[in-house]
């Protein structure tokens, strides 16, 4: 976790899921999570935190605007009192996963709510699948769709994910590869 620079709170309105390959809104998951959040909103728990990706320039801008030093932010790793610093940002930060939790929080608590996030500082254009596989691979708590599996195999080159498909769909995938109807298993470049 060498790219993790700190844990803090950012308002929900400043979180962005459009830039990364996030799935669409799952109404069932959002409804379930919404009821959980209303009963006990614990965004400080690791499983509820939303990991975000910022560039070094964005991190500098956020820290300057919030009047917080990087050392202060690092001191909060890990925090036992869960009283994380609230950071301001002029532009939205890119979220790695947690869209269903985010959608439920927006509906239940409103966009002004402060949410606990893990900040990863990565160079512009870096590959999340290579630098943060522990975050990217663990990102879905709802079942994978076939499209998710195909995409993850293509982006990560990890063929073990194909085993999550039915036998028929595994054969179909191999045929697509054999006839060169999809790219090889090497990671795609965007």
């Amino acid at each position: 976790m060498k790219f993790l620079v700190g844990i803090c709170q950012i308002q929900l309105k400043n979180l962005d899921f459009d830039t990364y390959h996030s799935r669409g809104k799952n109404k069932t998951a959002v409804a379930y999570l919404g009821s959980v959040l209303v009963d006990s909103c614990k965004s400080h728990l690791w499983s509820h935190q939303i990991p975000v990706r910022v560039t070094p320039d964005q991190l500098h801008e956020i820290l300057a605007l919030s009047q917080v030093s990087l050392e202060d932010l690092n001191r909060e790793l890990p925090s036992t009192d869960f009283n994380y610093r609230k950071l301001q940002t002029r532009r939205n930060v890119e979220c790695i996963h947690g869209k269903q939790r985010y959608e439920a929080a927006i509906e239940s608590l409103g966009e002004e709510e402060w949410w606990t996030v893990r900040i990863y500082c990565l160079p512009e254009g870096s590959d999340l699948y290579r630098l943060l596989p522990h975050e990217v691979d663990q990102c879905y708590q709802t079942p994978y769709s076939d499209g998710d599996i195909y995409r993850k195999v293509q982006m990560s080159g990890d063929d073990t994910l194909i085993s999550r498909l039915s036998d028929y769909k595994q054969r179909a995938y191999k045929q697509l590869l054999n006839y060169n109807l999809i790219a090889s298993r090497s990671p795609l470049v965007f």
Side-chain angles (χ1 to χ4, degrees), residues 23-89:
R23 301 193 299 179
K25 184 176 180 178
N26 179 327
K27 292 179 183 176
T28 306
V30 169
Y32 169 75
L33 287 169
S35 65
V36 170
L37 293 176
V38 168
D39 291 338
S40 62
C41 179
K42 296 180 180 175
S43 74
H44 63 274
L45 297 177
W46 187 269
S47 61
H48 293 285
Q49 294 173 4
I50 296 176
V52 299
R53 165 189 180 160
V54 297
T55 63
D57 289 341
Q58 287 174 304
L59 180 61
H60 177 73
E61 178 184 303
I62 290 169
L63 294 175
L65 183 63
S66 304
Q67 299 179 347
V68 174
S69 71
L70 184 57
E71 292 76 25
D72 289 340
L73 191 59
N74 278 320
R75 263 188 235 129
E76 308 224 346
L77 274 173
S79 174
T80 54
D81 63 2
F82 307 118
N83 191 14
Y84 296 111
R85 294 180 185 274
K86 294 181 173 161
L87 300 186
Q88 303 288 329
T89 179

Side-chain angles (χ1 to χ4, degrees), residues 19-22 53 94 124-130 147 150-156 183 186-190:
T19 54
Y20 188 64
H21 311 285
S22 68
R53 165 189 180 160
E94 178 184 355
E124 184 81 37
S126 56
D127 184 0
L128 286 176
Y129 281 90
R130 295 182 193 279
Y150 291 130
R151 179 181 57 84
K152 286 179 75 59
V153 167
Q154 287 298 305
M155 294 190 77
S156 69
S186 61
L188 297 175
V189 176
F190 290 97

Side-chain angles (χ1 to χ4, degrees), residues 93-152:
V93 294
E94 178 184 355
C95 298
I96 299 171
H97 65 79
K99 183 163 185 161
Q100 308 310 323
R101 185 165 279 109
Y102 163 82
E103 293 287 350
I106 288 284
E107 286 182 13
S108 304
L109 307 169
E111 67 179 16
E112 299 295 322
E113 182 73 20
W114 292 89
W115 202 264
T116 307
V117 299
R118 294 187 298 277
I119 297 183
Y120 292 93
C121 187
L122 302 169
E124 184 81 37
S126 56
D127 184 0
L128 286 176
Y129 281 90
R130 295 182 193 279
L131 299 179
L132 299 176
H134 62 283
E135 286 289 2
V136 176
D137 191 43
Q138 302 298 322
C139 64
Y140 299 126
Q141 294 179 0
T142 54
Y144 286 98
S145 71
D146 295 343
D148 293 325
I149 293 170
Y150 291 130
R151 179 181 57 84
K152 286 179 75 59

